[in-house]
Amino acid sequence: DGGITQSPKYLFRKEGQNVTLSCEQNLNHDAMYWYRQDPGQGLRLIYYSQIVNDFQKGDIAEGYSVSREKKESFPLTVTSAQKNPTAFYLCASTSTGGIWSRSGNTIYFGEGSWLTVV
Amino acid sequence: QKEVEQNSGPLSVPEGAIASLNCTYSDRGSQSFFWYRQYSGKSPELIMFIYSNGDKEDGRFTAQLNKASQYVSLLIRDSQPSDSATYLCAVRGSNYKLTFGKGTLLTVNP
């Protein structure tokens, strides 16, 4: 079955460490996204990528980095520069089909990764 | 002005009533508009999307889009306790940037 997979589901980070969250999709989607969600808050966009080898900063990119070397993979690194990284992280993907199509408007989410600073 | 704003809530309605959720957006070039439902600690689930002005109905749900006013809404008819969740409005811009609002917590009371 096609889908989007995030790992790990739970991750603990020590002060000063970088950690990487994995996001893989086998849906042949061009566009991929990373969001952060804090308790009682909506999803805030960290980075997004429309195509391989290209990505753009979202609204809260500071302290994060990404790469898009393969179409199916969009890993997120939470660097030590991110001072308050404890949150729920969601990866998503969608096709870049026309806005009139269901496929172009179906966004798939991973199950999320919980990151805690210890 | 934030890119996507939702009425902050929380919103509480009795079972069987109509729940009305509202969202405004700032980017006039936005192309597609989405309503998601999210339960605590889970990924969002798509309720419906809309891309042209007017109403779109799917079962008990109706999405309304007014591009001139930069406004999108979701009506839930015959609200059920199982509809209790956080509802997220999302907007996709011309460059495929997908931005979410903060969400509105809806509680349907039996």
Side-chain angles (χ1 to χ4, degrees):
Chain A
D1 287 335
I4 182 167
T5 303
Q6 283 185 244
S7 63
K9 189 169 179 65
Y10 300 97
L11 185 61
F12 298 91
R13 193 194 91 168
K14 293 182 180 179
E15 296 284 348
Q17 267 187 343
N18 293 352
V19 293
T20 297
L21 306 180
S22 170
C23 179
E24 304 276 333
Q25 53 95 2
N26 60 2
L27 299 161
N28 200 34
H29 285 167
D30 287 307
M32 297 187 74
Y33 307 83
W34 273 107
Y35 295 92
R36 168 183 173 140
Q37 188 170 37
D38 294 283
Q41 299 293 313
L43 278 62
R44 292 188 290 168
L45 182 63
I46 305 173
Y47 270 97
Y48 65 107
S49 168
Q50 299 170 51
I51 198 167
V52 175
N53 293 322
D54 189 33
F55 49 83
Q56 289 77 40
K57 292 183 179 180
D59 302 314
I60 56 164
E62 186 175 350
Y64 299 97
S65 67
V66 293
S67 63
R68 188 84 189 276
E69 297 175 1
K70 297 186 295 182
K71 188 175 187 177
E72 59 269 24
S73 179
F74 192 41
L76 173 74
T77 296
V78 185
T79 75
S80 57
Q82 172 48 241
K83 297 306 179 189
N84 186 22
T86 296
F88 184 52
Y89 290 86
L90 277 164
C91 180
S93 72
T94 185
S95 78
T96 50
I99 63 168
W100 55 87
S101 68
R102 184 158 188 90
S103 64
N105 286 293
T106 301
I107 301 160
Y108 290 77
F109 283 91
E111 293 194 350
S113 295
W114 292 91
L115 174 61
T116 304
V117 173
V118 295
Chain B
Q1 181 187 6
K2 294 190 178 183
E3 290 187 50
V4 180
E5 295 203 60
Q6 295 184 240
N7 45 338
S8 57
L11 178 64
S12 181
V13 301
E15 184 174 354
I18 295 175
S20 177
L21 303 161
N22 303 313
C23 176
T24 58
Y25 60 94
S26 60
D27 180 6
R28 285 195 173 273
S30 298
Q31 297 184 329
S32 300
F33 308 86
F34 306 82
W35 282 101
Y36 279 85
R37 176 172 61 197
Q38 186 181 29
Y39 298 105
S40 182
K42 301 295 185 182
S43 298
E45 304 167 345
L46 179 67
I47 298 172
M48 58 197 309
F49 67 88
I50 187 168
Y51 56 84
S52 57
N53 278 328
D55 295 359
K56 180 180 179 182
E57 187 174 316
D58 185 359
R60 296 185 296 112
F61 299 95
T62 299
Q64 299 174 317
L65 174 63
N66 183 326
K67 288 188 176 181
S69 300
Q70 296 174 248
Y71 172 92
V72 58
S73 66
L74 180 71
L75 298 177
I76 307 174
R77 291 182 299 282
D78 188 24
S79 296
Q80 301 298 308
S82 58
D83 294 327
S84 298
T86 296
Y87 288 78
L88 300 168
C89 171
V91 175
R92 189 168 76 184
S94 55
N95 59 351
Y96 285 90
K97 182 180 183 183
L98 185 62
T99 305
F100 284 78
K102 284 191 173 182
T104 300
L105 178 62
L106 171 66
T107 301
V108 180
N109 302 303

